[in-house]
Amino acid sequence: MKKMRKQLFQLLSIHGVSGDEGNVRKYLENILKNQMDSVEVDTYGNLLATKTIGNGEGATVLLSAHMDTVRGVVKHREILENNGVITSSEGALGADDRAGIAIILQVLRSLENIKAFNGTLKIAFSREEEIGCVGSSKIDRQWYNDVNLAIVVDRRGNRDVVVGTCGQPFASNEVGRFFEEVSAMQDMNWKAIEGGISDALTFSENGINSVNLSAGYENEHTSKEFVVFEDMCDTVRLILQAFAVINDFYHNFGEVPKENEWVKEYDYSYSKYYNSSYTSTGTTGSYYEDVFDDYIYAEESDSNGDVWLYELGADITIQQGDNEIVLSRNALKSLIKQLDGKL
């Protein structure tokens, strides 16, 4: 997969933080125009493409990854490789999610060899995922309303099939088992699990069975980020195997449920992260100051514009428009403690 390695390095060399993905989109648009039947940039700047494969009578599958990186990616750094492990000379690597994009491009090139798949392929490269899945939420739902399965490639590590997050499932039991069985066909051991937030959340909220697959990177958003090329190759093999057999299975996928085998609905009154109490004036709640979830994310809107809070390495970033504040976790905890009960 020499072409995938080359494209990964090219993608990692294009600076494109959230809100400034234009150069990444231009690079990808030129590639997709030569391989897809139709390519468009929607009104928000997401890159969307469609292709009919074979007779087109089988499943419709969406492949998706995001074009933006966190702001910790430094311009003009050097991309290094040692025994298949790729790192940055300075700052975050940005393999979240350039690795996912490179994987999808490799799948697209290889689909010509999957004679068993007759159907429709859709590709969505989204903007501003890192600040709250903003780009994917702006995609016209009618564009992917006919999709039978959305495969997002934006998960850390290897061999994870994320089928939900924070008590919200992305897919049915049948979809989770499908991917575990497909991995066994390739003598791999991928497992359906509950994971973090990704664009799979957007697609599933709109009724599309969705998963988020490992893309091979680790320590995302930090200067210790790296990506393992062989893990990326495993993801390509899993997706291609899924395409080879999906037409025998997708009719049984069912609808996105309220919970699945791996993801149960949250009972917030008992959550270790949220303390809820009931009073005569209604429901009040406060976050425990001494505990944070593995991945921190929140959003709010006010008259000055949308506000996003997310983790950036060991720190927490609060962003509104072009303005941002970076706090240590201890500072954020202290602020929450000071404000608790005063708002």
Side-chain angles (χ1 to χ4, degrees):
M1 299 187 185
K2 293 181 179 179
K3 182 70 172 179
M4 181 168 72
R5 177 184 273 104
K6 179 180 178 181
Q7 288 185 327
L8 174 62
F9 273 75
Q10 290 172 341
L11 285 161
L12 290 172
S13 298
I14 304 172
H15 194 67
V17 298
S18 299
D20 187 23
E21 303 92 346
N23 288 333
V24 185
R25 183 175 58 240
K26 182 178 179 180
Y27 171 88
L28 294 170
E29 190 173 5
N30 289 333
I31 293 173
L32 294 183
K33 283 181 176 179
N34 291 324
Q35 300 187 55
M36 303 292 286
D37 296 336
S38 65
V39 180
E40 63 177 296
V41 177
D42 71 8
T43 56
Y44 199 73
N46 300 296
L47 183 59
L48 311 176
T50 304
K51 181 176 184 176
T52 300
I53 298 176
N55 59 27
E57 295 178 357
T60 298
V61 181
L62 170 63
L63 297 179
S64 182
H66 63 86
M67 297 182 287
D68 60 319
T69 67
V70 295
R71 295 181 181 274
V73 175
V74 178
K75 286 185 178 181
H76 311 304
R77 74 307 178 42
E78 185 179 359
I79 308 301
L80 309 171
E81 182 175 9
N82 183 17
N83 293 324
V85 178
I86 300 162
T87 58
S88 171
S89 63
E90 182 182 2
L93 176 62
D96 173 12
D97 191 23
R98 302 299 167 77
I101 294 175
I103 287 167
I104 290 173
L105 294 179
Q106 178 63 42
V107 169
L108 176 58
R109 283 191 299 276
S110 303
L111 269 179
E112 296 178 0
N113 301 320
I114 307 298
K115 303 302 182 183
F117 180 70
N118 294 303
T120 301
L121 170 65
K122 294 193 173 187
I123 292 178
F125 291 134
S126 65
R127 295 184 59 212
E128 298 182 336
E129 189 274 346
E130 294 290 7
I131 57 173
C133 303
V134 180
S136 62
S137 71
K138 303 292 186 180
I139 299 173
D140 184 352
R141 297 180 186 181
Q142 293 301 314
W143 182 79
Y144 61 86
N145 193 47
D146 59 343
V147 167
N148 302 113
L149 176 66
I151 302 174
V152 177
V153 190
D154 185 25
R155 167 70 176 177
R156 71 173 71 91
N158 56 60
R159 306 196 178 187
D160 287 347
V161 181
V162 178
V163 292
T165 185
C166 301
Q168 185 165 344
F170 297 159
S172 64
N173 290 334
E174 289 76 13
V175 170
R177 296 190 193 108
F178 169 74
F179 275 95
E180 291 186 340
E181 291 169 6
V182 164
S183 77
M185 295 176 188
Q186 287 287 320
D187 294 322
M188 296 188 290
N189 188 31
W190 290 67
K191 293 296 182 183
I193 63 165
E194 182 173 7
I197 293 172
S198 70
D199 285 337
L201 175 62
T202 301
F203 302 132
S204 64
E205 285 182 331
N206 290 312
I208 307 300
N209 276 298
S210 308
V211 296
N212 183 17
L213 303 181
S214 290
Y217 59 75
E218 296 277 7
N219 302 326
E220 66 275 18
H221 304 180
T222 77
S223 60
K224 295 181 180 179
E225 183 182 7
F226 65 89
V227 62
V228 179
F229 187 76
E230 186 58 36
D231 290 341
M232 293 176 60
C233 295
D234 283 349
T235 306
V236 172
R237 285 189 277 267
L238 178 75
I239 296 174
L240 290 175
Q241 184 64 55
F243 271 102
V245 300
I246 191 171
N247 284 339
D248 295 327
F249 292 89
Y250 79 96
H251 294 292
N252 298 318
F253 283 170
E255 298 181 352
V256 179
K258 291 185 178 180
E259 62 179 28
N260 61 30
E261 184 177 324
W262 305 272
V263 183
K264 305 301 181 184
E265 286 187 280
Y266 267 9
D267 181 351
Y268 286 98
S269 63
Y270 292 97
S271 171
K272 69 177 180 178
Y273 301 117
Y274 193 78
N275 178 26
S276 181
S277 59
Y278 294 86
T279 67
S280 59
T281 58
T283 303
T284 62
S286 62
Y287 287 97
Y288 285 142
E289 297 89 355
D290 58 341
V291 178
F292 283 126
D293 202 349
D294 289 338
Y295 186 84
I296 297 172
Y297 166 77
E299 61 179 290
E300 189 57 81
S301 297
D302 67 14
S303 59
N304 297 310
D306 293 338
V307 181
W308 311 97
L309 182 148
Y310 54 94
E311 66 178 359
L312 182 62
D315 297 323
I316 306 299
T317 295
I318 303 173
Q319 181 174 350
Q320 185 174 54
D322 293 330
N323 300 313
E324 65 180 23
I325 299 173
V326 179
L327 301 170
S328 69
R329 293 185 178 223
N330 287 336
L332 182 59
K333 292 175 185 177
S334 176
L335 287 172
I336 292 173
K337 184 176 294 186
Q338 291 176 53
L339 293 173
D340 189 28
K342 295 182 180 180
L343 295 177

